[in-house]
């Protein structure tokens, strides 16, 4: 997973990729709850799963843009680089987790996460 993130994100070093993976997984851990959280952790490599599970889920989940904005504020980056980092990590997670689980995760979260996972954002039925 780490090498996929390093390649997709074009990070110069393994350490840079590790930092990005940790930050994005911890941020995702603050958003995911329930069976999807448990199932995703079970599919991730052990260290990645630990980062995801180390966070207490927020009582009010963020939209996809709110997720990027919050992560930007926490890391001191820019919205553009944070969006890039998020896409690199969540794209790798989507490959590992599989279509069914990612679909369920996107349905659980507020609008805006499909694009972060590398999918088209479809309008939800009213």
């Amino acid at each position: 997973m780490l090498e996929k993130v390093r390649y997709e994100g074009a990070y110069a070093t393994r350490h840079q990729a590790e930092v990005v993976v940790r930050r994005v997984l911890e941020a995702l851990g603050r958003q995911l709850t329930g069976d999807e959280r448990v199932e995703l952790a079970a599919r991730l490599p052990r260290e990645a799963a630990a980062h995801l599970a180390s966070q207490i889920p927020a009582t009010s989940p963020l939209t996809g843009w709110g997720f990027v904005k919050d992560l930007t504020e926490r890391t001191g980056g820019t919205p553009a680089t944070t969006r890039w980092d998020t896409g690199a990590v969540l794209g790798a997670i989507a490959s590992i987790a599989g279509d069914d689980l990612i679909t369920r995760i996107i349905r659980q979260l507020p609008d805006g996460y499909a694009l972060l996972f590398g999918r088209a954002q479809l309008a939800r039925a009213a």
Side-chain angles (χ1 to χ4, degrees):
M1 178 182 145
L2 191 56
E3 285 306 313
K4 182 172 179 59
V5 170
R6 183 176 176 193
Y7 177 78
E8 294 295 326
Y11 301 107
T13 67
R14 183 178 174 91
H15 176 71
Q16 285 177 311
E18 288 172 348
V19 169
V20 168
V21 167
R22 179 182 48 81
R23 288 177 176 172
V24 173
L25 281 172
E26 287 173 353
L28 185 61
R30 290 188 291 275
Q31 301 306 307
L32 274 183
T33 61
D35 292 341
E36 289 78 13
R37 177 184 171 107
V38 173
E39 195 171 332
L40 178 59
R43 293 184 188 189
L44 293 174
R46 186 180 315 234
E47 190 172 332
H51 293 307
L52 178 79
S54 70
Q55 301 299 304
I56 297 170
T59 56
S60 180
L62 300 169
T63 63
W65 169 240
F67 179 87
V68 171
K69 189 174 170 185
D70 180 64
L71 190 54
T72 299
E73 291 169 3
R74 289 174 185 265
T75 62
T78 67
T81 57
T82 303
R83 171 61 182 92
W84 179 267
D85 295 344
T86 301
V89 175
L90 296 185
I93 288 173
S95 295
I96 293 168
D99 287 339
D100 178 59
L101 178 56
I102 294 302
T103 298
R104 291 185 358 241
I105 287 171
I106 291 169
R107 283 186 190 143
Q108 180 193 107
L109 296 168
D111 286 339
Y113 283 88
L115 291 173
L116 297 177
F117 280 100
R119 291 188 172 185
Q121 179 71 48
L122 302 175
R124 296 181 191 222

